[in-house]
Amino acid sequence: MLVNEEKFQNIVNSFAKSAKLISWQVMKGGSSTDVFLLKIQQKNEILKYVLRTEGPKPAENNTKVEFALLNSLYLQNIPVSKPVYLDISCKIIDKPFMIMTYLDGDIDSPDNKDLNSISKMVEALKIIHGIDISALPQLSLRIDPLSNIETLLPSGAEWDDLKTFLLSLSGQRYKGKSVLLHGDFWSGNILWENNEIAGILDWEYAAFGDPLCDVAASCLEVRYEFGKELMTTFKDTYSNFLPIDNFRYSLWLIYIAASTLYHIHQWNISNEREALIKKETVNVINEEFESLLHKSKE
């Protein structure tokens, strides 16, 4: 996306006509979208806003849907940025974009590797899963951990036994009450202030469906960041809120891990980080396959 000061001034004028752009800078965003911090002067105030462009697939929600979702969540006092302005015309810049208020906070909690931090993350996820979805915009359903799994898994003879086993299963679609899924709930999308969660970012993968899908995704991310032990701690802490079907949990872990291997080449991460994720992802798939085989024989 080609950007310059004039374009950013035009963007500012689109939602704050009398405001003056003071500065803009690239922010650390997701792997699939451009994020900028805009500092503006409006009357006698210096204000900060975030510009977020629409990302390509595999993100499920376009900017218009994410804007509506953020608005609903903000009105329900969920710690998200307040959406301010939406532009889907592609006339100012070549992508749809939205403007949000800037949230203060840090990505890293001072104690982000201990039980206290994990407990607070789980509590936030529980709140998300408890939201009344009738007040939210329509989102896609995520209820089947076997959906498209054969395509997502890598090719090669070493994967044949797993594919055969998964394709032999039936009746694994979630039949319970659908909840709001964040879709990418991990430490990189959480802002902390004074050791409390101050903001939850990046809702482009939000959906309705099986809460275990979110739990599995979060557990994988915790494993990448902090190791296998805290991954188990996250799951066990969540189970105090909602009983976990371990068979379906294993299926979701395999599904999300396979999806990670399939899409990771599109992520803007270092080679070292990619290698670590790939290694742990394969380990998870093998571990959960072994667990599924054991459970199926019980």
Side-chain angles (χ1 to χ4, degrees):
M1 183 181 75
L2 295 176
V3 293
N4 54 45
E5 188 168 342
E6 181 180 358
K7 284 189 177 182
F8 280 122
Q9 182 63 64
N10 291 337
I11 290 169
V12 170
N13 291 149
S14 67
F15 70 92
K17 295 189 181 303
S18 61
K20 178 183 177 181
L21 176 69
I22 296 176
S23 65
W24 62 272
Q25 66 184 74
V26 177
M27 296 181 68
K28 182 181 179 181
S31 60
S32 60
T33 186
D34 298 309
V35 186
F36 301 92
L37 173 63
L38 306 181
K39 186 181 291 187
I40 71 172
Q41 181 174 352
Q42 191 168 27
K43 296 182 179 179
N44 295 322
E45 286 188 284
I46 304 298
L47 303 172
K48 291 190 287 187
Y49 291 93
V50 174
L51 182 157
R52 180 182 170 91
T53 67
E54 182 166 299
K57 295 294 183 181
E60 294 190 21
N61 301 314
N62 60 32
T63 301
K64 183 177 181 180
V65 171
E66 190 176 356
F67 185 91
L69 175 61
L70 283 176
N71 188 60
S72 296
L73 295 175
Y74 182 82
L75 293 175
Q76 295 189 56
N77 297 315
I78 304 300
V80 298
S81 296
K82 179 181 180 181
V84 174
Y85 181 77
L86 172 69
D87 188 297
I88 58 174
S89 69
C90 299
K91 292 180 178 179
I92 301 177
I93 57 177
D94 59 1
K95 299 179 181 179
F97 69 88
M98 62 178 167
I99 302 293
M100 306 171 285
T101 54
Y102 175 81
L103 291 177
D104 286 312
D106 298 311
I107 293 294
D108 293 323
S109 168
D111 61 351
N112 63 5
K113 294 185 181 181
D114 70 11
L115 181 58
N116 184 49
S117 177
I118 294 295
S119 296
K120 289 176 180 178
M121 288 176 63
V122 171
E123 183 63 31
L125 191 61
K126 285 160 49 179
I127 291 172
I128 292 170
H129 291 170
I131 291 172
D132 179 8
I133 65 173
S134 67
L136 304 179
Q138 188 60 46
L139 303 175
S140 61
L141 278 179
R142 202 170 292 147
I143 59 174
D144 187 359
L146 299 177
S147 175
N148 204 33
I149 189 65
E150 187 177 14
T151 301
L152 293 175
L153 284 168
S155 59
E158 67 271 25
W159 298 97
D160 288 347
D161 288 346
L162 174 59
K163 290 179 182 179
T164 299
F165 175 81
L166 294 177
L167 293 174
S168 73
L169 300 176
S170 60
Q172 300 303 320
R173 290 165 64 92
Y174 177 62
K175 299 179 178 64
K177 179 182 177 182
S178 286
V179 304
L180 173 65
L181 307 177
H182 179 276
D184 196 18
F185 189 81
W186 70 293
S187 59
N189 284 334
I190 298 173
L191 290 176
W192 297 84
E193 192 169 38
N194 298 322
N195 207 26
E196 298 291 338
I197 292 179
I200 302 172
L201 311 175
D202 293 357
W203 293 80
E204 60 182 338
Y205 295 97
F208 297 147
D210 184 354
L212 289 187
C213 178
D214 248 4
V215 175
S218 295
C219 284
L220 273 175
E221 291 289 353
V222 169
R223 179 161 176 161
Y224 301 150
E225 294 291 321
F226 311 126
K228 187 175 180 179
E229 183 177 347
L230 281 187
M231 171 187 180
T232 302
T233 299
F234 191 103
K235 175 201 170 187
D236 291 344
T237 305
Y238 187 91
S239 70
N240 295 326
F241 164 65
L242 183 71
I244 289 180
D245 179 333
N246 287 309
F247 194 89
R248 207 172 67 253
Y249 169 76
S250 291
L251 290 178
W252 277 119
L253 278 176
I254 291 174
Y255 174 88
I256 295 163
S259 181
T260 296
L261 290 177
Y262 188 84
H263 293 294
I264 195 170
H265 68 281
Q266 301 174 15
W267 300 357
N268 184 25
I269 57 178
S270 68
N271 292 336
E272 182 181 9
R273 174 73 173 169
E274 182 173 336
L276 181 148
I277 290 177
K278 284 181 176 179
K279 176 184 175 181
E280 290 301 321
T281 298
V282 171
N283 287 340
V284 165
I285 291 175
N286 290 330
E287 292 165 9
E288 297 309 316
F289 181 29
E290 183 177 345
S291 176
L292 287 171
L293 288 175
H294 178 74
K295 291 169 190 172
S296 65
K297 294 175 182 177
E298 293 177 349

